[in-house]
Amino acid sequence: STQSTGSYAFNYATEYMDKVHDHLYLFNVHDEPTVVYGGYATPELIQSLHDVEEKRSKKILVHYGHKAKELGVKYTMMKGSASNAGELICKAVKQYHINNVVTGRREMGEVKRFFVGSTSKYIVENADCNVIVVKIPVGPEEEHTEKSKIIQAEESERIRRLVEVEEEHKKDEAERKAILEKVKADEERERAERIADEAHHSKERIDKLIHVFTFQEELKKKVH
């Protein structure tokens, strides 16, 4: 299933499948955050994005698993993350001998589509089975409204987590900067004290030399 039309795909599959003999594989694949954000985000932020997507995948699968159970459908839930979601789904088709793939189609901006590509297009061209891409609503409207609320809630949580991580990162950076500045200030103070101390001892040595020299000159005068 996919983010915007996954519910259409689920409704289509459960409407037309043989509920007695067929087995439904519920597969959710999220993109690796490094594909889109790799050049712009810190490792900590990437990991946070990955964790949020993992939790989101689990919740979506549980949601549809519950609906499949209510419909009396035999099902298996699977999730994954990949730089190419379509490629991972095509591998699953081979491994589990899947006969038909029913998928939705995500709405993405041109930039993201350029980086991650069209999953549905990839599956259509590469899957070793029949592929149905569901683009229009299938099933009761309540389903789509409910799914939309779930996605909106997850998106809000994802944004909240990102803001928290970014604020924590800024706080850590500020603390590291403050510690670094204190260390530099301490080093500079010690250096200044060392220089002053060396200058003081140097003056004492010079004073002693001058005193000795003056004393020797006085002795010479007395001898003569």
Side-chain angles (χ1 to χ4, degrees):
S1 75
T2 55
Q3 184 168 328
S4 60
T5 55
S7 59
Y8 305 164
F10 175 85
N11 288 347
Y12 187 99
T14 53
E15 177 71 23
Y16 294 103
M17 69 183 292
D18 183 340
K19 294 181 177 61
V20 177
H21 301 99
D22 291 343
H23 191 94
L24 179 66
Y25 289 90
L26 298 169
F27 204 178
N28 184 277
V29 183
H30 65 80
D31 299 313
E32 281 290 345
T34 50
V35 177
V36 179
Y37 305 101
Y40 306 96
T42 61
E44 293 81 7
L45 187 56
I46 291 292
Q47 184 58 49
S48 177
L49 279 166
H50 181 80
D51 293 343
V52 169
E53 290 296 335
E54 281 287 300
K55 289 181 180 178
R56 175 180 169 277
S57 288
K58 287 179 182 178
K59 287 183 179 180
I60 290 175
L61 286 173
V62 168
H63 171 73
Y64 284 113
H66 180 69
K67 292 184 73 65
K69 187 176 181 179
E70 287 181 335
L71 292 170
V73 173
K74 295 186 290 293
Y75 68 94
T76 299
M77 296 187 296
M78 297 187 293
K79 69 178 180 65
S81 64
S83 57
N84 185 332
E87 184 179 4
L88 187 59
I89 291 171
C90 288
K91 287 180 179 178
V93 167
K94 284 186 178 181
Q95 183 174 345
Y96 296 98
H97 307 291
I98 293 171
N99 298 317
N100 296 281
V101 170
V102 182
T103 181
R105 185 175 185 274
R106 292 182 298 182
E107 294 180 0
M108 295 188 290
E110 292 299 321
V111 174
K112 188 172 182 181
R113 189 174 293 278
F114 173 78
F115 281 107
V116 304
S118 169
T119 300
S120 56
K121 183 174 184 290
Y122 185 95
I123 297 171
V124 168
E125 294 177 349
N126 296 278
D128 293 338
C129 68
N130 295 325
V131 179
I132 299 169
V133 181
V134 185
K135 298 182 180 181
I136 60 175
V138 177
E141 185 62 30
E142 295 76 29
E143 160 64 17
H144 312 315
T145 304
E146 183 182 354
K147 179 67 186 304
S148 177
K149 288 180 180 177
I150 291 175
I151 296 301
Q152 287 175 5
E154 291 297 332
E155 184 65 13
S156 298
E157 175 66 13
R158 185 179 76 85
I159 293 171
R160 186 186 68 78
R161 287 285 302 277
L162 286 177
V163 170
E164 284 183 354
V165 169
E166 202 60 38
E167 287 177 349
E168 193 67 29
H169 178 68
K170 288 179 181 178
K171 182 181 176 182
D172 291 343
E173 282 297 315
E175 289 177 353
R176 280 195 290 267
K177 186 177 179 181
I179 291 171
L180 202 63
E181 287 176 350
K182 184 178 183 303
V183 170
K184 286 182 179 179
D186 290 344
E187 289 178 345
E188 189 61 31
R189 187 180 64 256
E190 289 177 1
R191 177 173 170 274
E193 290 174 353
R194 189 168 58 252
I195 291 172
D197 189 58
E198 288 175 355
H200 176 71
H201 288 304
S202 177
K203 184 176 182 303
E204 286 183 346
R205 286 195 295 270
I206 292 172
D207 288 345
K208 287 180 181 179
L209 288 172
I210 291 173
H211 176 73
V212 170
F213 178 75
T214 303
F215 180 72
Q216 289 175 345
E217 288 295 319
E218 292 177 355
L219 283 177
K220 287 179 183 178
K221 287 179 183 179
K222 289 181 179 180
V223 171
H224 292 297

